[in-house]
Amino acid sequence: MSQICEGVVFIEGRDDMIPDSHVYVIGKTESKDLTMIDAGLMGKADYKLSSIMELGIELEDIRRVIMTHTHLDHIGCLPEIKERIPGAELWAHSIEAASLEQGDERTVYGMDMFKNMCQTQYGLKNGIFTFEVDRKLNGGESLAIGGMTWEVIHIPGHSSGSIALYEKRLEILIPGDVVYADYAIGRFDLHGADPHKHNDSLRRLGDLKVKILLPGHNRIMGEVPSGYILETAEQWGPYLA
Ligand SMILES: [Zn+2]
Ligand SMILES: [Zn+2]
């Protein structure tokens, strides 16, 4: 766990048989209007919530969980989080929100083979990832939350309803699994993925000024070289054509 800057906390994922996403908590502590970005993998609530509390954050100050997207490694822990923080709302992009509300778990598991494997391994039943979504995002929103302003950017490709959160003043980008450090990008072969859209999304992110990159997995980048995301898009272009 670490404080990236005032208003941004990072809790590193702890990969299991399958990856566990990082979790970020955004918003200034004194605002008591905090937001958790992604929940992580099943069974990973305890250490994440303890880490958050060790930083002096009261769990009830977490007013919402915003999903960068709803793959299992990001949403698997949501039932546990909702149990521990019953007042927290769930916000997600409208496309994946519709699936969550209908109990359509194709995006959660990404592919049938993976679904069977995970359900067996973790004892998950059909339909447990059915949730009501309190706020459906579409991209283009400017969220004034926790004493900060975060822009929502719809960046489909890795999944249909992937979003990034961007703090323009601080030049912080939280892109989910769309782009990582070390010129890596998220996979683009799962349910709802689209390589062309992934390419467009990378290029749109490439237009932003980004100093701090906080992706869903692997290392975070505190000093992003200028042009980094565009260069990543260039390198991947031939595979996304
Ligand atoms: Zn993902
Ligand atoms: Zn992920």
Side-chain angles (χ1 to χ4, degrees):
M1 103 195 120
S2 64
Q3 186 102 33
I4 304 292
C5 62
E6 195 199 357
V8 183
V9 166
F10 162 52
I11 296 122
E12 191 165 15
R14 291 185 182 170
D15 295 348
D16 208 355
M17 261 216 355
I18 41 179
D20 174 27
S21 79
H22 299 327
V23 161
Y24 300 97
V25 178
I26 59 172
K28 296 184 178 165
T29 311
E30 70 275 9
S31 72
K32 297 189 171 294
D33 178 29
L34 307 183
T35 301
M36 182 183 284
I37 308 296
D38 290 339
L41 187 65
M42 295 77 67
K44 305 285 181 177
D46 282 347
Y47 92 87
K48 284 185 172 133
L49 295 179
S50 316
S51 304
I52 289 170
M53 289 187 288
E54 277 165 29
L55 288 165
I57 293 171
E58 309 272 356
L59 293 186
E60 62 265 30
D61 291 347
I62 299 177
R63 303 296 177 86
R64 64 194 71 81
V65 180
I66 299 182
M67 301 302 306
T68 61
H69 63 301
T70 58
H71 283 156
L72 186 68
D73 53 324
H74 298 249
I75 203 169
C77 205
L78 188 63
E80 296 158 56
I81 301 282
K82 282 181 81 73
E83 204 181 299
R84 298 278 300 274
I85 317 175
E89 293 193 344
L90 172 61
W91 295 11
H93 188 274
S94 55
I95 295 174
E96 292 182 29
S99 301
L100 290 180
E101 292 191 334
Q102 289 157 15
D104 175 349
E105 296 179 323
R106 285 177 298 173
T107 298
V108 173
Y109 290 105
M111 62 167 85
D112 286 343
M113 185 197 77
F114 194 59
K115 175 176 180 172
N116 296 335
M117 188 193 90
C118 291
Q119 286 193 330
T120 309
Q121 184 67 29
Y122 291 95
L124 305 173
K125 300 212 163 46
N126 277 337
I128 63 165
F129 297 112
T130 307
F131 299 101
E132 214 166 286
V133 178
D134 300 285
R135 180 164 175 187
K136 282 107 178 160
L137 301 164
N138 288 304
E141 296 88 349
S142 190
L143 306 175
I145 47 177
M148 306 173 88
T149 304
W150 292 86
E151 290 172 25
V152 180
I153 307 166
H154 182 209
I155 42 169
H158 172 69
S159 72
S160 54
S162 281
I163 55 169
L165 290 165
Y166 178 56
E167 219 292 353
K168 197 175 186 173
R169 196 176 57 82
L170 300 169
E171 301 179 359
I172 299 177
L173 181 69
I174 302 178
D177 284 355
V178 171
V179 60
Y180 304 119
D182 305 310
Y183 303 99
I185 65 171
R187 56 193 291 180
F188 41 86
D189 61 330
L190 298 171
H191 176 78
D194 182 322
H196 296 281
K197 288 183 181 167
H198 202 150
N199 194 24
D200 291 346
S201 294
L202 285 170
R203 285 170 194 283
R204 277 190 297 122
L205 294 181
D207 290 337
L208 304 173
K209 276 187 90 173
V210 177
K211 194 170 78 186
I212 298 176
L213 182 69
L214 303 176
H217 303 278
N218 307 328
R219 70 182 183 90
I220 61 175
M221 293 175 84
E223 285 295 335
V224 181
S226 92
Y228 168 75
I229 297 177
L230 272 185
E231 208 173 306
T232 305
E234 288 295 328
Q235 290 190 14
W236 282 95
Y239 302 96
L240 300 172

